[in-house]
Amino acid sequence: MEVKLPEIRKSEVLRYLGYNGQDLGSTLEEQLQRCIDAVASSARPRLTYRIFDVRNSEIEGLSLEGSDIRELLESSKQAIIMAATLGAEAEALLRRTEVTDISDAVIMDSAQSVAIESVCDAFEAKMRIFYREENLYLTDRYSPGYGDLPLDSQKLLMNVLQTEKRIGLAATASNMMVPRKSVTCIIGISDRAQKLQRSGCSTCMMAQKCTYRKQGRVCNGQNDT
Amino acid sequence: MAKTILDGAMGTMLQSLGLGIGEKPELFALRNPEAVLSVQKDYVKAGSDVLYSNTFGANRKKLEGTGISVEEAIRTNIRIARQAAESAERKIKVALDVGPIGELMEPLGILSFDEAYDIFRQMAVCGEQSGADLVVYETFTDLQELRAAVLAARENTALPVWTTMSFEENGRTFTGTDLQSMAMTLDALGVDAMGINCSLGPAEILPLMQRLRSYTDKPLIAKPNAGLPDPKTGAYFISPVEFSEGMSKISDIGVEILGGCCGTTPAFIKALKSTTTETERHPETARISGVCSAAKAVSFDKINVIGERINPTGKKKLRTALAARDMDYVKKLAMEQAQAGAAVLDINVGVPDCDEAALMKEVVQAVQSVVDLPLMIDSSDPGAIEAGLRYFCGKAIVNSVNAEDAKLESVLPIARKYGAAVVGLAMDKALPSTVEERMQHARKILKKTTEAGIRKEDLIIDALTLTISAQQDQAGNTLEAVRRITGELGLHATLGVSNVAFGLPQRNRIAASFLTMALQNGLDLPILNPNDQVMMDALATYKALSGEDRDCENYIERFSQSEEEKPQTPKSTEMTLEEAILKGLGNEARLATEKLLETTEPMEIIDKYLIPALDRVGDLYESQKLFLSQLINAANAAGKGFDLLKSRMKKSASQNKGKIIIATVEGDIHDIGKNIVKVVLENYGYQVIDLGKDVPVQTVVKRTIEEDAHLVALSALMTTTVQSMKRTIEALKESGHKCVTMVGGAVLTEEYAMAIGADYYSKDPKQSADIARRVLG
């Protein structure tokens, strides 16, 4: 189903670009806004999810490798499996812009990363409120590639959600999602309040390629856990 | 007419018989043939006239690693369906059911048209051998993938071909194909029936089917889901009765072939069968004349501009770009013309000493990756025409045939096969001089195209524009011929408009008036340069006068902004070149370079101003005084200055500093990082040959040797694709060609780069320039 795109925050886009408090100047400010607007008007985010039963920390009918996901689902009775994408429209925008202006394209690429993340955040927040009313709590979002959950399990999640049919999302043989600006994840539903751990680099898919970490820093001023 | 009833869902039925989550239904059938047979027998009892075999995902990509071959999966499942079909007295057909491959095609994904074709060929051939009565392609969302599938069946089997695509409520597929483009494209390819499946429930599909009915006179198929699923459980809610009520409305608008998709059961099909009655075929269904891309249909019921700029005749820059296979330049030309108002783009790649068919394929694929306009394949080489028509996704125009028998015989069958529209030049071996000669040729071409099975509405006659500086009397003859071709013969007319003024000063003044006169005589597909303001102004004016531009809306929009109101670009700057580059201001950088040129030689400007400024930018980036966007803007600004200098340098002096091959490795489609490095290197004066993304190992080796390049820059973003980087480096070394490799990309580190055998690791664009300087000087 198609979902609304939350506002794309300029500060977040800058963070993805490795911004470090430099003076932007009016030209760059305008360029940023123009690129963000282009992304916002072209993206058609779509999202699909299903709820599965969890028994003994395992999602029923789905054998996922690794101990981290079991740990995440330790107290969960159910789990949400979700996939979201910005759609082929977003890819087309980048394809065109890369030819005409690589600088715009780089900013749009970051803005799209922020956009898909905010689509997931909005979904998670909505579900959190919904389940809170039933005295249930959600765990963090957990994606293939985090911790010891292999990237290969992405195909399994896409398969159970039928993402190709539902939201037009597929993967290549090397586990690259197409369209690229897409996310698959698992969220546990528990009757116990959850310790939120999201801020740590160990649960971040970007941990291996993060420019901040390469520079010996972490993003968002939070500590590496 | 009598309705054909299809079956309902297979997957959801098998789940209730033990199919596990994520298990492949095609393989389940090998373990449990009885389960599949019982489902299909139930559909026969419910009234299905056609059974879809349980082979939706039986392609070699999806079966890889299962130990089961495509042949085994298809043979077994067709046999089961046949057995179920024979359980009834009446004749029931078995359709080889084929779904999308499961990996997305270029340009979105990395699956090529040819590979997709081969996967579908294998399935279709096997289906026919196993005894299927027809092949049905369903749940497709990419029209190009569906085209590959249809061609695979038509070129390798005698099976009838049915197709259905899956749409969102807005009437588009996930990749953007609309109903009209689907109808035109599939009509052109000659499928036997088309329609919509899956996607939505009958109520949501009804308006879409209504629209589709108006776009084609082919038999239509509707196979919707049992309503919309509950997101939480994936379950469907509407009852068989509700479903069949919805379906009978779809049947009433003249849809002949009806069935159910996800969530439907034999009970749904039984209800469907009992409520569906014969209907009159709606006679008002008329085919729409026109052409289309995958996402845009252009109707021939108004004036449409054909953009002429992708044609190397007399254009040195394009000729050079085509020879070097610089697709970015071609893409820019395509986007500019689309922006300027072209409705169709002419594609001519005739440069000497090149494989025209291969180049046509490459250019068509490049152009359609950035614009959604239909294309006109312009060549005299039948091989290049076929390549263009095969790889273009949509319905194209062939430019051109003339009245010579040999020409007609070689080109018309190709146009017919792909269902393309055809431009016929009103000439034979010699150019015509009278109106009557032109008419005779036009009549002959009409007769021959009709005999070849090409519809009259797909024929466009070019009455030939000759230049008035040589043959002044011909302008009148051309105009009169256009009037009679469109009036008497009722055909579409095209003209290469600007030829009329060849050899005269201010060509577009003559051409614009000639355009107006020709439009008045019926010209509806003018070929011109849409970036020529004077011509496009004349067109806008004509449309306001003729009434095509209702209430002069477009005219007012085009001309109401006075010159003074238009934003002005500054004509001079006080900034130095370094300041302009540091601030990333392209226009100022160009102006500052211009000022320097008054006193300084171009080469000196590069060495003393441009490169030091770029170095300074690099240092500031390294010390985090600038961030990524500022670095790129600075490189772009330097590029503006550099372009100006290149144009002022004498040929010998403009020799660049050396060639660099750059590519994103096989399997990886992330190319932004690579493109940033390219821009920076170019602005340091290197000739960068960009091979693009997902570049096969052997292509990198081949082009490096061909270009005799000695520095190869490779990019990979994912851990999984660093392995292709390693293979590429190994292959380069094995080739014995002397070259140095530098690698970069998010997951790489110095150590990792060395471990895969790279000569240099470049952590950012600045460093890639340093390395290039070290290697090439």
Side-chain angles (χ1 to χ4, degrees):
Chain A
M1 62 183 167
E2 203 170 333
V3 291
K4 216 179 130 233
L5 180 70
E7 190 200 349
I8 301 171
R9 280 163 46 209
K10 201 190 277 183
S11 58
E12 279 293 285
V13 177
L14 281 168
R15 191 165 69 80
Y16 272 73
L17 288 167
Y19 176 67
N20 197 15
Q22 294 90 341
D23 176 29
L24 290 176
S26 61
T27 323
L28 194 49
E29 284 272 8
E30 279 163 29
Q31 184 187 10
L32 274 165
Q33 197 54 54
R34 184 167 44 77
C35 292
I36 288 173
D37 292 345
V39 166
S41 61
S42 68
R44 296 218 16 242
R46 302 171 183 92
L47 183 149
T48 186
Y49 71 96
R50 271 183 68 183
I51 300 190
F52 293 83
D53 287 335
V54 173
R55 208 156 292 169
N56 300 326
S57 311
E58 276 188 16
I59 298 173
E60 273 205 321
L62 210 64
S63 46
L64 294 172
E65 282 174 49
S67 57
D68 291 347
I69 186 70
R70 295 179 59 94
E71 203 176 302
L72 179 87
L73 299 176
E74 206 182 357
S75 66
S76 296
K77 297 276 184 297
Q78 284 189 310
I80 305 167
I81 298 183
M82 183 274 269
T85 178
L86 283 194
E89 297 85 352
E91 289 271 351
L93 174 71
L94 269 195
R95 219 161 39 230
R96 288 192 303 269
T97 313
E98 275 181 43
V99 179
T100 53
D101 191 329
I102 185 69
S103 173
D104 281 0
V106 169
I107 296 174
M108 288 180 189
D109 185 66
S110 295
Q112 290 186 344
S113 298
V114 173
I116 186 63
E117 205 55 33
S118 65
V119 165
C120 297
D121 287 344
F123 170 77
E124 186 185 323
K126 204 177 88 185
M127 297 308 264
R128 214 171 270 288
I129 293 165
F130 175 83
Y131 282 106
R132 191 64 199 86
E133 279 175 13
E134 297 178 20
N135 284 319
L136 294 169
Y137 301 85
L138 298 190
T139 67
D140 289 329
R141 289 205 303 268
Y142 210 84
S143 290
Y146 286 13
D148 65 359
L149 182 62
L151 199 54
D152 248 342
S153 47
Q154 192 169 274
K155 282 205 175 117
L156 224 55
L157 303 190
M158 290 168 72
N159 191 15
V160 297
L161 291 178
Q162 298 183 294
T163 55
E164 195 187 354
K165 205 150 90 175
R166 300 246 183 272
I167 57 172
L169 171 62
T172 66
S174 53
N175 277 318
M176 199 151 13
M177 281 193 273
V178 185
R180 282 173 292 173
K181 300 298 178 186
S182 305
V183 166
T184 58
C185 69
I186 299 167
I187 309 172
I189 306 169
S190 168
D191 51 11
R192 270 189 268 151
Q194 295 291 306
K195 197 175 98 196
L196 293 179
Q197 315 170 321
R198 254 204 100 194
S199 49
C201 297
S202 64
T203 60
C204 178
M205 219 159 60
M206 293 295 289
Q208 295 308 310
K209 39 187 165 172
C210 167
T211 40
Y212 285 87
R213 278 168 65 90
K214 280 191 179 179
Q215 293 168 359
R217 296 187 288 148
V218 288
C219 70
N220 233 0
Q222 288 158 336
N223 291 326
D224 184 1
T225 50
Chain B
M1 63 180 297
K3 302 285 172 170
T4 301
I5 302 296
L6 305 174
D7 56 12
M10 173 61 73
T12 38
M13 293 295 293
L14 293 182
Q15 269 163 27
S16 63
L17 295 170
L19 177 76
I21 294 174
E23 191 179 354
K24 295 186 185 347
E26 299 81 11
L27 301 189
F28 179 78
L30 300 182
R31 285 196 290 118
N32 299 288
E34 289 304 318
V36 177
L37 181 65
S38 77
V39 172
Q40 290 183 324
K41 275 185 172 170
D42 285 348
Y43 280 126
V44 170
K45 276 183 218 142
S48 298
D49 303 311
V50 179
L51 288 176
Y52 282 20
S53 63
N54 177 34
T55 49
F56 183 84
N59 67 63
R60 63 170 177 255
K61 286 258 179 200
K62 282 193 174 162
L63 292 181
E64 199 181 307
T66 62
I68 302 296
S69 69
V70 170
E71 284 74 15
E72 194 176 352
I74 289 181
R75 224 171 21 235
T76 309
N77 280 295
I78 294 272
R79 196 179 56 230
I80 297 170
R82 176 64 63 203
Q83 206 180 331
E86 280 160 8
S87 67
E89 295 283 308
R90 64 208 156 85
K91 165 78 184 153
I92 289 165
K93 284 185 179 164
V94 171
L96 170 74
D97 181 37
V98 178
I101 291 165
E103 287 186 17
L104 300 184
M105 294 211 355
E106 293 170 338
L108 195 56
I110 58 174
L111 183 67
S112 74
F113 183 90
D114 295 332
E115 189 182 359
Y117 173 89
D118 199 57
I119 289 169
F120 290 124
R121 181 198 53 75
Q122 183 188 22
M123 296 178 79
V125 167
C126 180
E128 183 174 49
Q129 284 166 356
S130 307
D133 300 305
L134 68 148
V135 54
V136 50
Y137 295 113
E138 63 165 346
T139 329
F140 279 62
T141 56
D142 182 345
L143 189 59
Q144 186 71 325
E145 187 182 1
L146 182 53
R147 284 185 72 253
V150 171
L151 283 166
R154 293 204 50 206
E155 292 177 350
N156 298 286
T157 74
L159 297 176
V161 177
W162 292 7
T163 67
T164 54
M165 294 188 82
S166 182
F167 288 82
E168 293 188 278
E169 249 178 302
N170 63 5
R172 287 194 184 262
T173 69
F174 289 133
T175 59
T177 290
D178 60 300
L179 290 155
Q180 191 175 359
S181 299
M182 174 186 85
M184 259 190 203
T185 304
L186 296 174
D187 253 336
L189 282 186
V191 302
D192 298 281
M194 69 173 89
I196 301 174
N197 81 299
C198 203
S199 337
L200 307 154
E204 296 82 19
I205 275 190
L206 175 65
L208 303 185
M209 291 307 298
Q210 246 156 351
R211 277 160 60 191
L212 187 56
R213 184 69 288 172
S214 72
Y215 298 139
T216 176
D217 51 15
K218 285 260 152 60
L220 290 188
I221 307 167
K223 206 172 192 281
N225 292 341
L228 302 171
D230 173 4
K232 289 186 180 166
T233 60
Y236 293 86
F237 286 114
I238 68 172
S239 68
V241 174
E242 280 171 275
F243 181 81
S244 65
E245 281 169 2
M247 289 304 283
S248 67
K249 286 186 193 139
I250 291 175
S251 168
D252 287 346
I253 60 167
V255 175
E256 299 90 341
I257 306 167
L258 306 149
C261 203
C262 304
T264 59
T265 65
F268 285 70
I269 300 304
K270 194 171 175 197
L272 170 65
K273 174 87 179 171
S274 66
T275 52
T276 313
T277 49
E278 294 187 8
T279 49
E280 291 276 318
R281 182 62 182 275
H282 289 227
E284 70 269 26
T285 301
R287 216 189 313 261
I288 293 189
S289 162
V291 289
C292 69
S293 67
K296 192 176 224 164
V298 169
S299 299
F300 286 169
D301 56 358
K302 57 180 185 344
I303 299 163
N304 291 298
V305 169
I306 301 175
E308 69 181 8
R309 293 190 66 213
I310 304 181
N311 183 335
T313 317
K315 296 191 194 83
K316 193 166 163 253
K317 238 176 149 179
L318 178 58
R319 224 169 32 234
T320 315
L322 286 173
R325 280 178 274 175
D326 173 4
M327 290 303 131
D328 278 359
Y329 183 73
V330 178
K331 286 179 191 172
K332 274 182 205 158
L333 286 182
M335 283 189 279
E336 279 166 17
Q337 294 182 88
Q339 182 76 30
V344 176
L345 297 182
D346 185 76
I347 306 287
N348 182 315
V349 299
V351 285
D353 301 323
C354 81
D355 177 348
E356 195 181 335
L359 192 54
M360 180 64 86
K361 171 182 173 183
E362 199 173 341
V363 168
V364 162
Q365 290 186 324
V367 167
Q368 69 186 353
S369 77
V370 291
V371 299
D372 60 3
L373 299 184
L375 303 184
M376 178 150 99
I377 308 300
D378 183 357
S379 173
S380 52
D381 170 9
I385 292 175
E386 169 135 30
L389 295 180
R390 190 170 186 85
Y391 295 101
F392 171 63
C393 182
K395 177 184 170 189
I397 306 173
V398 172
N399 186 17
S400 56
V401 296
N402 61 30
E404 286 178 87
D405 288 327
K407 192 88 196 169
L408 291 163
E409 278 157 25
S410 66
V411 175
L412 293 185
I414 304 170
R416 167 78 178 101
K417 177 179 170 192
Y418 294 95
V422 175
V423 171
L425 304 180
M427 61 179 281
D428 50 16
K429 281 194 179 63
L431 284 170
S433 53
T434 65
V435 175
E436 195 43 49
E437 273 177 76
R438 287 176 166 89
M439 292 305 291
Q440 275 170 13
H441 294 317
R443 283 192 210 99
K444 178 176 176 187
I445 295 169
L446 172 59
K447 180 168 170 279
K448 291 288 183 180
T449 47
T450 309
E451 283 168 12
I454 293 165
R455 296 186 288 250
K456 189 181 167 187
E457 65 262 31
D458 283 339
L459 179 58
I460 304 154
I461 297 292
D462 184 338
L464 296 163
T465 313
L466 304 174
T467 172
I468 57 166
S469 62
Q471 294 166 283
Q472 201 166 10
D473 57 332
Q474 287 301 315
N477 288 350
T478 302
L479 292 168
E480 175 60 9
V482 167
R483 194 184 62 76
R484 290 180 57 190
I485 286 160
T486 53
E488 274 173 36
L489 302 182
L491 299 173
H492 300 290
T494 186
L495 286 176
V497 180
S498 59
N499 288 348
V500 75
F502 193 78
L504 292 174
Q506 307 216 12
R507 281 176 68 172
N508 54 10
R509 288 176 188 271
I510 297 272
S513 293
F514 181 66
L515 172 66
T516 307
M517 293 163 89
L519 291 170
Q520 177 63 15
N521 278 14
L523 173 69
D524 59 347
L525 291 157
I527 303 176
L528 48 85
N529 175 2
N531 301 93
D532 186 330
Q533 189 88 4
V534 176
M535 296 289 273
M536 295 302 274
D537 284 352
L539 180 68
T541 311
Y542 176 84
K543 284 182 179 173
L545 288 166
S546 72
E548 187 182 312
D549 179 8
R550 298 287 284 174
D551 302 325
C552 306
E553 239 176 70
N554 292 323
Y555 180 88
I556 292 167
E557 199 192 311
R558 188 178 179 90
F559 295 107
S560 62
Q561 204 185 19
S562 65
E563 283 301 315
E564 299 86 68
E565 288 169 34
K566 286 182 186 161
Q568 297 282 322
T569 5
K571 297 271 192 296
S572 69
T573 179
E574 291 303 310
M575 275 186 208
T576 65
L577 183 54
E578 181 173 270
E579 281 169 346
I581 290 174
L582 277 173
K583 290 203 155 104
L585 300 171
N587 189 44
E588 279 74 6
R590 194 176 49 78
L591 293 169
T593 309
E594 229 161 51
K595 206 150 91 191
L596 278 172
L597 273 168
E598 290 167 13
T599 56
T600 320
E601 283 300 306
M603 211 52 218
E604 198 181 332
I605 298 178
I606 293 181
D607 288 336
K608 291 209 175 135
Y609 296 90
L610 231 143
I611 291 187
L614 276 174
D615 284 344
R616 178 111 200 278
V617 169
D619 292 342
L620 289 171
Y621 176 71
E622 206 147 63
S623 58
Q624 294 180 31
K625 299 271 181 356
L626 296 178
F627 75 108
L628 186 60
S629 290
Q630 291 168 316
L631 172 80
I632 304 166
N633 284 342
N636 273 339
K640 294 275 192 270
F642 196 75
D643 286 345
L644 181 66
L645 293 173
K646 268 200 292 198
S647 70
R648 298 288 171 88
M649 276 190 277
K650 287 195 200 78
K651 223 175 177 173
S652 58
S654 74
Q655 287 298 337
N656 57 67
K657 301 189 157 181
K659 271 185 194 173
I660 302 172
I661 297 270
I662 192 166
T664 297
V665 299
E666 187 165 10
D668 207 320
I669 49 175
H670 299 87
D671 62 352
I672 281 211
K674 177 212 75 188
N675 291 342
I676 298 170
V677 170
K678 177 184 164 189
V679 168
V680 171
L681 290 174
E682 279 177 345
N683 292 324
Y684 268 92
Y686 298 102
Q687 183 192 350
V688 183
I689 297 158
D690 182 3
L691 304 185
K693 58 192 177 184
D694 182 29
V695 184
V697 173
Q698 281 317 314
T699 308
V700 177
V701 176
K702 192 167 151 265
R703 292 296 303 274
T704 305
I705 296 170
E706 273 174 16
E707 298 287 348
D708 195 26
H710 300 290
L711 179 57
V712 179
L714 299 172
S715 161
L717 195 87
M718 314 240 316
T719 326
T720 44
T721 51
V722 171
Q723 290 315 309
S724 341
M725 187 177 258
K726 186 171 174 227
R727 284 203 309 277
T728 310
I729 294 170
E730 284 166 0
L732 279 167
K733 284 188 179 153
E734 276 165 28
S735 77
H737 178 77
K738 195 169 157 286
C739 71
V740 167
T741 52
M742 69 166 151
V743 300
V747 290
L748 286 166
T749 58
E750 177 85 38
E751 267 184 334
Y752 203 179
M754 295 305 121
I756 60 168
D759 297 309
Y760 290 98
Y761 165 64
S762 163
K763 73 175 163 56
D764 56 37
K766 153 83 166 66
Q767 216 173 26
S768 69
D770 293 344
I771 294 167
R773 193 149 29 182
R774 213 172 311 159
V775 176
L776 301 174

